[in-house]
């Protein structure tokens, strides 16, 4: 599936500013309607390290009313989280009525990092595909709009961004030894991503693969896709 993604897609900067503002206006209108009608939505962001999840989330939220969304970031489960079912902490972070919940990393960690790094057994991550699909079906059946993004870049672009972060005093903190270790396991993560997309892209909660080598194209596609999903659901 990922081999078919056209990472050469680009959006000129001059065109970007007009498009992103136009889609942000429409998204703000949909967010206000979500709030007034007391409906709920969930936007899931997954992707390669340095693929632009944070930048995309910023473009989603920067024009929204703060009352209308919440952003949750997830790492490896620890403490009480590790003693519960792997979906327990995600139930707790879901949107309240009238809100858009945004997951920066998500319940897909079980079939990605936890699978590759051996933080769970093979039986556990294989069982998680069904559990995740059922989790999302329950959300949709309750009236929640679920939109899922995989931000996709190639290895060369990731390396370029890693090196740029190293030289940037404002962003160097975002680059860790763990990022380099994960990069060394690219092939294993690639296999896990492919299987995740195949087994959890459902009719009720499909994946959107975002061509993210060009950040301008990626940010517009994310805001546009989320906006259209909310408009269609409404």
């Amino acid at each position: 599936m990922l081999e078919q993604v056209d990472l050469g897609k680009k959006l000129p900067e001059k065109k970007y500013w007009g498009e992103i503002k136009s889609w942000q206006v429409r998204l703000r209108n949909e967010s206000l309607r979500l709030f007034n009608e007391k409906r709920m939505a969930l936007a899931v962001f997954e992707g390669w390290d340095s693929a632009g999840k944070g930048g995309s989330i910023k473009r989603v939220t920067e024009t929204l009313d703060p009352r209308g969304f919440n952003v949750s970031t997830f790492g490896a489960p620890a403490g009480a989280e590790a003693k519960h079912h792997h979906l327990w902490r995600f139930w707790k972070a879901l949107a309240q009525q009238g809100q858009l919940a945004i997951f920066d990393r998500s319940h897909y960690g079980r079939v990605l990092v936890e699978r590759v790094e051996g933080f769970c057994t093979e039986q556990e991550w294989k069982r998680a595909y069904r559990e995740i699909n059922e989790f999302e079906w329950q959300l949709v059946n309750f009236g929640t709009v679920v939109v899922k993004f995989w931000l996709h870049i190639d290895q060369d672009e990731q390396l370029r961004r890693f090196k740029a972060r190293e030289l940037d005093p404002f962003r160097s903190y975002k680059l860790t030894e763990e990022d380099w270790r994960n990069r060394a396991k690219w092939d294993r993560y690639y296999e896990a991503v492919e299987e995740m997309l195949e087994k959890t892209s459902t009719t009720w909660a499909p994946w959107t693969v975002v061509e993210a080598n060009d950040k301008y194209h990626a940010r517009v596609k994310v805001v546009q896709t989320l906006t259209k999903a909310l408009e269609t659901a409404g």
Side-chain angles (χ1 to χ4, degrees), residues 77 80-91 110 127-128 131-132:
E81 294 176 344
K83 297 178 182 179
H84 288 79
H85 186 276
H86 71 100
L87 292 176
W88 176 75
R89 58 182 176 150
F90 302 104
W91 278 109
R110 173 58 53 116
R127 184 178 66 234
E131 294 172 333
I132 289 170

Side-chain angles (χ1 to χ4, degrees), residues 26-72:
R26 287 174 62 172
L27 179 58
R28 178 177 173 82
N29 291 338
E30 287 305 308
S31 177
L32 291 172
R33 188 156 68 97
L34 196 75
F35 183 81
N36 291 329
E37 295 177 359
K38 300 188 183 306
R39 294 184 293 114
M40 293 165 290
L42 170 64
V44 172
F45 286 84
E46 291 283 357
W48 298 104
D49 293 330
S50 80
K53 295 181 293 297
S56 295
I57 292 171
K58 179 179 179 181
R59 273 65 191 185
V60 166
T61 61
E62 63 185 349
T63 62
L64 302 185
D65 188 312
R67 297 172 299 171
F69 71 90
N70 67 76
V71 180
S72 300

Side-chain angles (χ1 to χ4, degrees), residues 9 82 103 113 115 117 123 135 145 159 188 194 202 216:
K9 290 185 177 181
F103 285 3
V113 64
R115 165 185 172 172
E117 302 298 334
Q123 181 183 21
F135 168 63
V145 181
L159 181 60
R188 293 173 63 188
E194 284 274 18
T202 58
Y216 292 143

Side-chain angles (χ1 to χ4, degrees), residues 25-234:
V25 168
R26 287 174 62 172
L27 179 58
R28 178 177 173 82
N29 291 338
E30 287 305 308
S31 177
L32 291 172
R33 188 156 68 97
L34 196 75
F35 183 81
N36 291 329
E37 295 177 359
K38 300 188 183 306
R39 294 184 293 114
M40 293 165 290
L42 170 64
V44 172
F45 286 84
E46 291 283 357
W48 298 104
D49 293 330
S50 80
K53 295 181 293 297
S56 295
I57 292 171
K58 179 179 179 181
R59 273 65 191 185
V60 166
T61 61
E62 63 185 349
T63 62
L64 302 185
D65 188 312
R67 297 172 299 171
F69 71 90
N70 67 76
V71 180
S72 300
T73 303
F74 299 97
E81 294 176 344
K83 297 178 182 179
H84 288 79
H85 186 276
H86 71 100
L87 292 176
W88 176 75
R89 58 182 176 150
F90 302 104
W91 278 109
K92 293 173 57 183
L94 291 173
Q96 300 178 18
Q97 284 190 332
Q99 282 193 328
L100 164 67
I102 297 172
F103 285 3
D104 182 358
R105 300 294 190 188
S106 70
H107 45 289
Y108 284 94
R110 173 58 53 116
V111 296
L112 292 174
V113 64
E114 292 182 44
R115 165 185 172 172
V116 174
E117 302 298 334
F119 296 157
C120 63
T121 66
E122 182 176 355
Q123 181 183 21
E124 287 173 330
W125 64 255
K126 284 186 174 180
R127 184 178 66 234
Y129 295 122
R130 174 180 54 81
E131 294 172 333
I132 289 170
N133 287 338
E134 291 175 351
F135 168 63
E136 293 175 349
W137 166 246
Q138 291 178 66
L139 298 182
V140 172
N141 198 39
F142 187 65
T144 304
V145 181
V146 178
V147 186
K148 305 183 300 193
F149 298 104
W150 174 262
L151 274 66
H152 189 48
I153 57 176
D154 60 33
Q155 285 180 287
D156 290 340
E157 178 61 19
Q158 185 188 63
L159 181 60
R160 187 192 69 77
R161 294 183 185 184
F162 276 13
K163 290 182 176 180
R165 283 184 178 181
E166 279 185 322
L167 301 174
D168 187 339
F170 294 103
R171 296 190 301 151
S172 59
Y173 76 93
K174 299 175 71 174
L175 185 64
T176 67
E177 288 299 322
E178 184 177 351
D179 293 323
W180 290 106
R181 287 196 299 270
N182 290 345
R183 177 175 167 79
K185 300 175 183 177
W186 181 278
D187 290 342
R188 293 173 63 188
Y189 274 101
Y190 195 98
E191 180 184 359
V193 173
E194 284 274 18
E195 190 167 357
M196 175 195 75
L197 295 173
E198 177 187 354
K199 293 191 174 182
T200 62
S201 192
T202 58
T203 55
W204 56 89
W207 279 99
T208 295
V209 177
V210 180
E211 307 88 347
N213 267 15
D214 180 72
K215 291 184 178 181
Y216 292 143
H217 167 81
R219 291 167 181 174
V220 169
K221 182 168 181 176
V222 165
V223 178
Q224 178 188 59
T225 302
L226 179 57
T227 302
K228 286 186 175 181
L230 294 176
E231 290 176 341
T232 301

